Amino acid sequence: MAALVHALARRAVEDPVAELAPAQALHWSSFRAVRDGLDAELLFRGELRPARDAARELLDQLRGEDEALEGVERILREGGGPARQRKTFADGGMDALLRELVEETARPL
């Protein structure tokens, strides 16, 4: 997702938007994104949209600008770390989540 934000920032510098969203809407969308991840509903181009759909639309527009955007495609398809961790916790509780985190941390890059 950082690659998507980077590509958007670059696009904003090259082609600034004419009208910014209200600050309160941006704050609320940020809160929802942090709380719900890709399942969040947030303000996108003047209407409430699922974050996953908004990211997909942006990715389609920015495709080819940065190779790192391929990782965003995987996240949209498979979900990110927070969703995976929530599922692990729901399926096996805190012990399962802690085991998974330890295994991920110990895995060589």
Side-chain angles (χ1 to χ4, degrees):
M1 296 305 284
L4 180 60
V5 172
H6 182 259
L8 286 171
R10 189 174 62 238
R11 173 72 60 90
V13 168
E14 295 167 357
D15 186 20
V17 294
E19 188 176 331
L20 297 177
Q24 185 177 6
L26 294 175
H27 291 297
W28 183 243
S29 291
S30 294
F31 167 76
R32 288 177 165 194
V34 169
R35 183 187 67 190
D36 301 327
L38 289 172
D39 295 326
E41 189 174 69
L42 43 85
L43 184 67
F44 180 71
R45 297 190 172 149
E47 59 185 53
L48 287 176
R49 301 263 310 274
R52 189 178 309 274
D53 294 349
R56 165 80 52 219
E57 186 174 318
L58 291 170
L59 184 61
D60 289 344
Q61 292 174 359
L62 297 169
R63 195 171 308 285
E65 291 194 21
D66 188 337
E67 289 181 23
L69 291 173
E70 296 306 317
V72 177
E73 181 69 43
R74 181 190 55 77
I75 292 170
L76 291 176
R77 188 175 54 251
E78 300 172 10
R84 189 177 61 252
Q85 291 172 7
R86 283 188 199 104
K87 181 177 181 340
T88 299
F89 179 78
D91 292 346
M94 185 58 75
D95 288 341
L97 176 58
L98 292 174
R99 263 191 312 279
E100 180 179 298
L101 292 172
V102 168
E103 289 169 9
E104 279 184 26
T105 303
R107 235 180 264 140
L109 298 174

